[in-house]
Amino acid sequence: MIRKALLGSKLPRAPQAPSGVNAVQIEGYWVPTGPLEPQDPPSYVLTSTVRNNLRDLARAAACGRHPVLLQGETSAGKTSLVRWLAARTGHICVRVNNHEHTDLEVLSRAFRNRFLEMHFEELPPGELEDILEKRCSLPRSLTAKMVGVMTELQLRRRETGVFAGRHGYMTLRDLFRWAERYRRTPDPGTFYDWDQFLANE
């Protein structure tokens, strides 16, 4: 109900910052700044899907009337987007991990009604490849293989339950750690078997 009232309403994109308020323009909306100096993390890649999510989140933050509850799969990029928005607006980002079995279905309706709920879909494979290529300076041929491995593991988990559990399948964090290990490895020569390197990692 809150989401429909807020995101369904017409909140104009102001060309000028509101008077008397320090704010940063994010996707057309002026978001109030925090106590820190706003930063623009250079390693964060804004793809089409990420921008759509950011626009909704910035709109809610600009309104400032309700807390926001983000929902979505582990690979949807919720945490990274919140961290980027916090850095961009000079706010302190505090991360608190819930219990691994926390389920929105068991939360009371009264509790959930206090929040503006937003659902983030998983990032498309093509966008993940773009992010790895730009963020980790990897060739496209390798980013496609790495994203393919993550997608295959996630499919197997959903279909068989073999990879069930908190650390039972590959997440975006695992994918970026994998890519960073490749990026930081000195090039041993032209004929090095990078496919075997990725498999070993």
Side-chain angles (χ1 to χ4, degrees), residues 12-23:
R13 299 185 181 187
Q16 300 295 330
S19 60
V21 177
N22 293 325

Side-chain angles (χ1 to χ4, degrees), residues 3 10 54 98 114-115 118 125 127 145 154 163 200:
R3 175 184 172 86
K10 293 184 178 180
L54 176 59
N98 287 329
R114 301 175 185 176
F115 292 84
M118 294 183 181
E127 292 190 15
K145 291 178 181 178
Q154 290 177 339
F163 297 95
N200 293 339

Side-chain angles (χ1 to χ4, degrees), residues 57-187:
L57 189 56
R59 187 176 187 179
C63 182
R65 288 183 291 179
H66 305 286
V68 179
L69 178 62
L70 300 182
Q71 302 182 51
E73 296 290 336
T74 304
S75 57
K78 302 181 297 297
T79 302
S80 59
L81 181 59
V82 170
R83 283 178 171 171
W84 182 88
L85 183 60
R88 189 68 185 86
T89 57
H91 284 89
I92 300 171
C93 182
V94 178
R95 178 179 176 181
V96 179
N97 288 326
N98 287 329
H99 189 274
E100 63 181 283
H101 298 299
T102 299
D103 191 337
L104 286 175
E105 297 300 325
V106 303
L107 296 179
S108 69
R109 182 177 298 275
F111 175 79
R112 292 180 61 179
N113 282 343
R114 301 175 185 176
F115 292 84
L116 167 64
E117 294 186 31
M118 294 183 181
H119 184 82
F120 285 5
E121 298 293 339
E122 293 184 4
L123 295 176
E127 292 190 15
L128 286 177
E129 293 173 21
D130 288 339
I131 293 173
L132 288 176
E133 183 179 10
K134 296 174 182 177
R135 176 174 171 174
C136 303
S137 301
L138 298 180
R140 191 70 175 202
S141 59
L142 290 181
T143 63
K145 291 178 181 178
M146 297 172 80
V147 172
V149 169
M150 185 185 76
T151 302
E152 179 66 21
L153 288 176
Q154 290 177 339
L155 287 175
R156 291 191 181 188
R157 175 184 183 270
R158 292 168 184 166
E159 293 174 356
T160 67
V162 172
F163 297 95
R166 183 177 180 183
H167 301 291
Y169 70 108
M170 194 173 183
T171 67
L172 274 186
R173 297 184 190 93
D174 299 323
L175 184 67
F176 289 129
R177 290 191 189 106
W178 192 17
E180 281 297 311
R181 285 199 294 270
Y182 171 89
R183 185 180 67 84
R184 294 173 181 174
T185 300
D187 189 347

Side-chain angles (χ1 to χ4, degrees), residues 7 11 13 26-29 31 46-62 81 84-85 118 120:
L7 298 185
L11 183 62
R13 299 185 181 187
I26 306 292
E27 293 298 306
Y29 298 101
V31 180
L46 292 171
T47 64
S48 176
T49 300
V50 173
R51 283 190 179 278
N52 288 337
N53 292 334
L54 176 59
R55 182 170 56 250
D56 285 346
L57 189 56
R59 187 176 187 179
L81 181 59
W84 182 88
L85 183 60
M118 294 183 181
F120 285 5

